[in-house]
Amino acid sequence: MADPTPGAAEGRAQPVLIHGLGRSGTSWLMKIFDHHPMVFASHEPERFVPAPRLEEAVDGTEEAAAARAYLDTLFAARPLRSMRKRPIRRKAYRSRMGHELRRGLLYGLSALERVLPGDAPLSAVEVPDLADLSRAAMVVKSVSHQWLLDRVMPHVPDVRLIYLIRHPCGNVHSNLQGQSLSAMQQQYLPARADLDRLYRFDKPAAELTESDFDQLEILAYRWAVVNDRICRALAGRENVRILRYEDLCADPIGQARDLFAWTGLDWDPACDAFLTASLVAEGDADGYHDLTRNPQVAAVKWQSEMPAEQIARVLEIARPSAAFALFDETNVQARSA
């Protein structure tokens, strides 16, 4: 492989936080960024970073400091689990020796974790950078702590948030598939106060438990409540892009180029090559977490696989959410009638 080169961009691009509910395309978008030779990408480090208690801030200054500290910690975290998302590519800011040493360390620790008895603690082990990151573009992908975003993003204008929203039926269907394969955990209801803003139930929201609903309904309520909060609080902010997963799938190269330019990152041929491989794939990925798949197939797969009764239930729950206005339901009305 030829040595990667830094590309044309001068200086350092803005830090990027890629966020969204699980199964919304966040890992795929992260890997699009990660194919750039000057990007340092981290996969879900929030699992090892305590969420700040912003509600305890006594004023805006204290909240701003807590928000900044949280994101600084998030971008500085290097847990093994977040560093080993493949493919592990050689970067322009890391020497060949540094790359080989670090890759060997990632593979070695991961192999050791698999053979250790019980709940091995190695996932949280901090992995050294073995590189000078002063000019690297920092990218973090996260699928947790969504309830913090409306409080955090106004205080960090230098950080770019790309928030992906997938059609509610596509998101719910993909999560249910993952649960059936034991690749995804069952989900819990969102905060009862947030449920209370959008819905009225036969009993007070505070008394609701997961036993009152099945997983399809819980997933739909999570989609509606979490994305409603994001759309109402953050839409239109200069440092926030709310992007439909389906739009990314329809034109991945065009959308990615636009996002790169927005964050101050130049386009790179390696990113083109990664996306071109996806676009010529015959269908959806073989593995549930695989990243090379035809996005135009993956985006609409639920329409042919999801029972009409499930579609109708998800749409009914999703409609009160501000996020539902992003989607046109005419293509599924006939099936859900």
Side-chain angles (χ1 to χ4, degrees), residues 18 21-30 32 141 164 166 171 245 248:
I18 297 172
L21 291 172
R23 307 310 298 168
S24 294
T26 53
S27 292
W28 181 44
L29 182 56
M30 184 202 77
I32 296 173
K141 175 258 183 176
L164 280 166
R166 188 176 187 173
N171 182 261
Y245 168 72
L248 181 62

Side-chain angles (χ1 to χ4, degrees), residues 203-284:
K203 58 183 179 181
E207 298 178 12
L208 294 172
T209 68
E210 279 68 24
S211 63
D212 292 310
F213 308 95
D214 61 24
Q215 270 297 299
L216 179 140
E217 292 166 333
I218 290 173
L219 288 163
Y221 281 121
R222 285 178 61 84
W223 184 96
V225 165
V226 172
N227 291 328
D228 177 85
R229 184 168 176 169
I230 297 300
C231 288
R232 291 184 188 278
L234 296 179
R237 292 197 65 86
E238 290 186 1
N239 63 332
V240 175
R241 287 281 184 95
I242 296 176
L243 176 64
R244 297 194 319 169
Y245 168 72
E246 289 76 11
D247 292 334
L248 181 62
C249 289
D251 181 20
I253 293 177
Q255 291 285 350
R257 280 179 172 271
D258 182 57
L259 292 173
F260 275 38
W262 180 60
T263 61
L265 194 63
D266 65 316
W267 190 245
D268 190 88
C271 305
D272 245 337
F274 173 63
L275 288 173
T276 300
S278 292
L279 291 170
V280 299
E282 294 185 1
D284 199 13

